[in-house]
Amino acid sequence: MDLLLIIIPILFVILFVIFMIRFGSKRKMNKYLVEARRTEYLHKLKQNCLSNNNCVEPPVKSHNQDGVNAINFKNNCGNAINSDIDESDNDSDNVESFNDDNENDKTNTNRSDDFEDNFYEDSSDSSSSENNYCTIDEFRDELVSTFLQVNINHIQGDQILTTLRKHHCFQTLPRSTRSLLHTPRKHHTTIPMDPDGEYYHIGFKKQIIEKLQLLSATEIPNYLQIDLHTDGMSIHKSTGIQLWPIQFRIVSIYNDSPEIIGIYKGKKKPSDPVQFFQYFIQEFQEIENTNGIEFKGKLIPIFLRAFIADAPARAFILNHKGHNAARPCSKCIVEGKKIEKTMCFTELNSCLRSDLDYMNAVDKKHHSQKNQSALKSINFPMVTYVPFEYMHLICLGVVKKFLTAIITNQYDFKKLTKSDISKINSNILLLQSYCPTEFARRPRSIDEYAKFKATEYRQLLLYTGPVIFFNILKGDSYLHFLLLHSACRVLLMSGPSEINLEYAEIALKVYVECCESIYGQTFMSYNIHGLLHVVQDVKLLGPMDSYSAFPYEDNMSFFGKFFRKPNQLLQQLHRRLTERKHCHKSKHEQFEIQPLYQHHHGPLTENISGDFIQFKGLKFEHFRIMAGSKRDSCLLLKNGIICEVQNIIKVSSNQYVLIVKEFHNITHFYEIPYTITSSHVGVYKCCNLLEAMTTINLNEIYAKCYRIPFHNNEGINDGTFIVAAFLSY
Ligand SMILES: [Zn+2]
Ligand SMILES: [Zn+2]
């Protein structure tokens, strides 16, 4: 009896401890979310929902979804290079390297796979669209872009031109590749910088004017808002040579692509940021002194909007101590502590820095003493307008770290079992035939996660992750991932509502707050800390894609492959860039919707009559639709309906209608307790595709969607899909 009296309480204590370990972090997460509910935020959310026909519910016909009001189709991250930053590395040798395999080629292969997939899917005899032969001028332009694409050398090019000119049609082609491609003759001289480096200045003002000259009168902006970017890359692995380009983009011109202002070549990164930027700064100050750039009799003022860089490049331009120092954050004075060789940042509410203090470099623990920031001389607000950029911070930083945590034993998290991993992989295998054409890379085995490119982490975070980790990540860690996923989707929408931004802020705070209890202290790195500043950057600069490193890194991968000889790198670069500019010049025109693959196989609906032509595909500026394709046929309409395109009909010269089947049941897929459901961020669960077909007009389309087959708890797919609306690609 006495013994029992002792054993029973002990048993209770043990059970309680087990309970706390198992559910502790989940309770913590819920506690934070409950706190969030008590804030004014939820009050507002409620009001907003009431005034919006209760938008927490999934869409019904003629229902306006708050969360997905204006998703943009802007495509600016086609194919990113591999640029993993290992946080444990010292920043001095943190330079991205280019793999020998060529990103652009890969993309092209992917695309042509698709062409076949779609083309032969269910009608092998579709006749191709109108066969127009091009004029000699168009032929010449095509030849230029082909020469550039295959990176032909001038000797080969000259021989092809000689052969072509033997036919009378091609008499007007130039004799030499040099004149076909407008390769500059003049040899520009480079400027020596550092003991064994050199810098080549292409020019800033000159290129702005070139960009303006390509615009029509109505497209010329009232002011020039400039984003700058710099990052290092190594090209020849054996020689260890690094290139550091300074790139810029005019944000106030629609779809403007980055160009290189100047580029440094050396064995190491440039030693002095002030010296590295001096030629740009000089030009910028000259423009400022004349109050802008004069163009066609109009004075256009210029502003520097943001400086975009990854962690090591930020430290370089801002001249602060690397991200392994105790106070590396340029936004707040968070203090790191060293645990098992990693700097960990567990504080959540550190004091924010001010632009003025930053300018005067008052924090001796933060600013590096040996140089000065390059941006000081132009009074650039370095705290506010040097954002945390999401390609490096979130895709290559946080998402990669999360995968490391669940797949390896590196953090305090019980890694996934072999059978879980193989479940994930079989899910991914299935996804390969559903991944839309716009994604540069198909999903691949999670075992290769360490070698993923930024776009692959991105796809996992924004689209496929919630499905492939469903029923695999248990309870708290799954919800934890959904917080990051849903917050990032909000931060990539164009014009998210105030309410949605407040949700993202709370979600990321709770995410960071719970990292420690789920993955342990060493998970709390500089990148995790950076999440606390992301929403503020979005409020100032717009959706994360509008200031991401993706377009700049694409540009770097473009010229990374164009070096023919190891010497005279910078001169070669100048030649290749000039050739490309000429090629682009001839291509600046308005985009028109293009039909693809004419056919006559139906299906048709009764209201289609008279003269019409049927097509398999339709190409829009930033995405394409392919009728009946697993990848490219799923659409979200403005009225909340989700449908699958069955056929494309050209009813008059420039008018198309789509024949579609609708999903009968549309609900949300997940719910974040006390806050939002997945339909607020454009993610739905659909089933029961109706057999009946209807027609819709193109202006009813809201967004193309990525649809993902969904297996229920028994692992069976009963025709249910998780559908995620495109943000950008
Ligand atoms: Zn990078
Ligand atoms: Zn901070």
Side-chain angles (χ1 to χ4, degrees):
M1 200 55 196
D2 284 357
L3 202 67
L4 261 182
L5 274 175
I6 298 168
I7 286 174
I8 286 171
I10 289 176
L11 218 66
F12 267 108
V13 169
I14 290 171
L15 278 173
F16 181 71
V17 168
I18 290 172
F19 176 82
M20 283 308 288
I21 290 170
R22 180 67 190 80
F23 296 104
S25 49
K26 183 165 193 178
R27 280 185 48 232
K28 196 169 173 190
M29 196 144 38
N30 276 328
K31 200 186 94 204
Y32 289 128
L33 289 165
V34 171
E35 269 164 26
R37 181 171 64 152
R38 290 200 196 99
T39 62
E40 209 181 333
Y41 157 73
L42 212 87
H43 178 64
K44 280 192 216 155
L45 182 74
K46 228 184 209 166
Q47 279 184 333
N48 184 61
C49 289
L50 288 175
S51 64
N52 239 347
N53 303 329
N54 199 0
C55 67
V56 184
E57 290 307 307
V60 284
K61 282 180 191 181
S62 73
H63 167 110
N64 188 14
Q65 272 300 115
D66 165 54
V68 288
N69 259 343
I71 295 168
N72 65 343
F73 291 112
K74 210 173 153 210
N75 176 5
N76 50 13
C77 50
N79 37 335
I81 55 160
N82 187 4
S83 50
D84 317 16
I85 282 177
D86 190 342
E87 290 182 332
S88 59
D89 270 10
N90 198 303
D91 70 330
S92 63
D93 47 36
N94 237 330
V95 171
E96 286 142 41
S97 64
F98 282 85
N99 295 349
D100 294 335
D101 67 10
N102 172 325
E103 283 288 325
N104 286 327
D105 285 354
K106 276 224 171 123
T107 315
N108 288 340
T109 339
N110 266 343
R111 295 268 149 86
S112 60
D113 279 355
D114 258 301
F115 170 78
E116 277 163 30
D117 280 4
N118 291 319
F119 196 73
Y120 297 114
E121 218 159 52
D122 46 290
S123 64
S124 48
D125 62 339
S126 325
S127 55
S128 87
S129 65
E130 303 105 290
N131 226 337
N132 302 326
Y133 292 103
C134 60
T135 66
I136 187 67
D137 284 345
E138 284 164 356
F139 178 80
R140 185 185 166 129
D141 290 346
E142 293 265 329
L143 197 63
V144 169
S145 71
T146 308
F147 272 24
L148 291 177
Q149 243 172 46
V150 301
N151 190 21
I152 204 164
N153 75 37
H154 283 204
I155 298 165
Q156 296 164 332
D158 289 353
Q159 283 183 6
I160 291 172
L161 285 172
T162 311
T163 314
L164 282 173
R165 281 169 50 87
K166 285 181 181 160
H167 193 277
H168 64 88
C169 293
F170 302 116
Q171 284 298 306
T172 56
L173 288 178
R175 274 171 222 280
S176 74
T177 315
R178 180 178 288 276
S179 56
L180 180 76
L181 301 182
H182 296 273
T183 315
R185 268 171 202 283
K186 221 171 94 195
H187 275 253
H188 288 256
T189 44
T190 58
I191 303 152
M193 200 181 274
D194 294 343
D196 56 359
E198 52 181 332
Y199 174 83
Y200 179 63
H201 192 68
I202 297 170
F204 178 55
K205 186 176 172 180
K206 186 181 99 186
Q207 295 194 86
I208 292 179
I209 290 174
E210 281 170 5
K211 280 170 186 278
L212 291 174
Q213 278 163 347
L214 293 177
L215 301 176
S216 66
T218 52
E219 288 172 313
I220 292 172
N222 292 326
Y223 54 91
L224 299 162
Q225 216 174 13
I226 309 285
D227 274 4
L228 286 177
H229 171 270
T230 195
D231 202 350
M233 61 188 261
S234 69
I235 35 166
H236 300 288
K237 264 189 191 137
S238 49
T239 57
I241 286 188
Q242 292 190 13
L243 291 178
W244 282 77
I246 304 171
Q247 299 187 67
F248 83 104
R249 207 164 70 87
I250 305 178
V251 193
S252 47
I253 295 178
Y254 172 72
N255 252 352
D256 187 45
S257 51
E259 295 294 344
I260 294 165
I261 299 171
I263 186 164
Y264 173 91
K265 180 194 121 186
K267 290 248 163 74
K268 285 182 290 202
K269 79 171 175 193
S271 63
D272 179 358
V274 175
Q275 205 183 19
F276 173 56
F277 282 102
Q278 64 181 318
Y279 299 94
F280 161 72
I281 297 282
Q282 202 181 325
E283 275 204 68
F284 185 80
Q285 283 173 330
E286 278 168 24
I287 298 170
E288 266 199 328
N289 290 341
T290 55
N291 296 318
I293 287 182
E294 203 176 304
F295 184 75
K296 290 188 179 165
K298 196 174 142 194
L299 192 64
I300 312 176
I302 192 166
F303 305 98
L304 217 52
R305 183 182 78 143
F307 203 113
I308 294 148
D310 60 12
R314 281 169 71 91
F316 172 59
I317 48 162
L318 294 176
N319 196 46
H320 70 68
K321 291 174 182 164
H323 51 276
N324 284 315
R327 277 192 189 177
C329 184
S330 65
K331 302 258 185 193
C332 75
I333 57 166
V334 68
E335 196 101 29
K337 54 182 171 188
K338 210 153 202 157
I339 302 164
E340 298 165 23
K341 288 189 200 154
T342 327
M343 267 296 175
C344 303
F345 301 87
T346 47
E347 279 172 53
L348 293 164
N349 294 304
S350 307
C351 276
L352 296 176
R353 296 183 190 278
S354 79
D355 286 319
L356 189 67
D357 282 355
Y358 211 89
M359 193 74 75
N360 297 324
V362 292
D363 185 356
K364 298 284 175 274
K365 281 185 176 174
H366 175 71
H367 297 275
S368 166
Q369 302 307 308
K370 58 174 196 254
N371 293 308
Q372 274 199 339
S373 166
L375 301 171
K376 191 180 168 179
S377 57
I378 52 169
N379 286 324
F380 187 74
M382 291 180 270
V383 175
T384 315
Y385 288 98
V386 183
F388 280 101
E389 180 281 315
Y390 96 107
M391 171 185 153
H392 289 95
L393 183 87
I394 299 179
C395 301
L396 294 163
V398 179
V399 179
K400 186 178 184 184
K401 187 179 282 289
F402 154 74
L403 291 175
T404 309
I406 62 169
I407 291 168
T408 72
N409 272 328
Q410 202 175 317
Y411 301 99
D412 291 343
F413 184 82
K414 195 170 167 292
K415 69 172 181 182
L416 297 178
T417 62
K418 279 215 174 79
S419 92
D420 283 340
I421 298 279
S422 71
K423 267 184 221 158
I424 289 178
N425 282 337
S426 62
N427 232 327
I428 287 175
L429 198 68
L430 191 67
L431 279 181
Q432 290 184 340
S433 53
Y434 286 90
C435 176
T437 331
E438 289 77 13
F439 289 83
R441 285 169 175 278
R442 304 266 173 274
R444 57 172 157 159
S445 162
I446 198 100
D447 299 318
E448 296 171 53
Y449 84 94
K451 284 185 265 168
F452 279 7
K453 310 279 175 184
T455 48
E456 294 176 280
Y457 293 118
R458 185 182 188 280
Q459 192 182 136
L460 193 104
L461 170 69
L462 301 171
Y463 298 93
T464 59
V467 184
I468 63 176
F469 297 126
F470 181 80
N471 259 348
I472 301 251
L473 285 178
K474 297 293 182 277
D476 46 1
S477 55
Y478 183 66
L479 179 59
H480 191 245
F481 173 76
L482 291 181
L483 288 173
L484 184 68
H485 155 87
S486 55
C488 287
R489 282 191 65 96
V490 168
L491 298 175
L492 282 161
M493 291 172 178
S494 71
S497 65
E498 190 80 355
I499 298 295
N500 273 333
L501 281 177
E502 281 180 69
Y503 165 71
E505 193 154 20
I506 288 168
L508 288 179
K509 231 179 223 160
V510 176
Y511 181 87
V512 175
E513 199 138 26
C514 294
C515 280
E516 192 177 335
S517 57
I518 297 175
Y519 300 109
Q521 270 194 327
T522 55
F523 192 81
M524 305 283 284
S525 66
Y526 182 52
N527 282 341
I528 300 287
H529 168 79
L531 291 174
L532 296 171
H533 299 300
V534 169
V535 176
Q536 193 52 37
D537 288 341
V538 168
K539 283 180 182 167
L540 270 172
L541 301 171
M544 294 196 293
D545 256 339
S546 69
Y547 60 92
S548 86
F550 277 109
Y552 305 97
E553 303 259 354
D554 278 357
N555 206 24
M556 282 162 77
S557 76
F558 170 84
F559 67 74
K561 68 169 182 169
F562 275 97
F563 297 109
R564 295 195 182 119
K565 294 173 234 142
N567 54 343
Q568 293 203 320
L569 277 179
L570 300 183
Q571 282 87 348
Q572 286 181 63
L573 176 74
H574 175 65
R575 267 176 245 142
R576 300 290 88 81
L577 288 175
T578 315
E579 289 171 358
R580 186 179 65 161
K581 231 179 247 166
H582 265 277
C583 172
H584 281 184
K585 207 175 264 176
S586 50
K587 280 193 173 165
H588 191 83
E589 55 203 31
Q590 284 282 309
F591 187 87
E592 265 178 46
I593 294 174
Q594 284 169 21
L596 304 165
Y597 319 126
Q598 191 180 332
H599 72 99
H600 41 263
H601 301 295
L604 295 168
T605 49
E606 280 170 1
N607 55 342
I608 306 281
S609 60
D611 278 342
F612 61 85
I613 311 171
Q614 303 178 55
F615 290 96
K616 283 233 72 160
L618 207 52
K619 199 172 157 197
F620 296 80
E621 188 173 5
H622 296 302
F623 67 99
R624 64 154 77 182
I625 300 173
M626 293 297 289
S629 140
K630 285 177 186 170
R631 305 182 193 289
D632 298 319
S633 71
C634 187
L635 297 177
L636 171 64
L637 305 184
K638 285 173 184 162
N639 58 11
I641 284 172
I642 293 172
C643 62
E644 201 187 276
V645 178
Q646 305 295 317
N647 200 0
I648 296 158
I649 315 290
K650 188 175 183 178
V651 286
S652 65
S653 66
N654 228 342
Q655 179 111 35
Y656 296 90
V657 296
L658 306 177
I659 296 181
V660 302
K661 285 182 181 174
E662 295 172 8
F663 279 102
H664 185 253
N665 303 74
I666 304 169
T667 58
H668 60 258
F669 170 42
Y670 60 78
E671 197 180 332
I672 308 288
Y674 314 116
T675 50
I676 61 154
T677 66
S678 67
S679 37
H680 280 87
V681 293
V683 177
Y684 309 87
K685 185 175 175 180
C686 309
C687 63
N688 202 355
L689 190 70
L690 296 172
E691 274 311 308
M693 286 182 278
T694 51
T695 56
I696 60 160
N697 292 316
L698 298 189
N699 61 13
E700 291 175 57
I701 299 173
Y702 186 75
K704 182 173 171 175
C705 299
Y706 193 152
R707 64 166 161 166
I708 302 163
F710 182 67
H711 298 259
N712 61 16
N713 291 341
E714 285 81 48
I716 300 160
N717 183 358
D718 51 0
T720 301
F721 289 95
I722 304 306
V723 168
F726 275 19
L727 297 153
S728 49
Y729 313 116

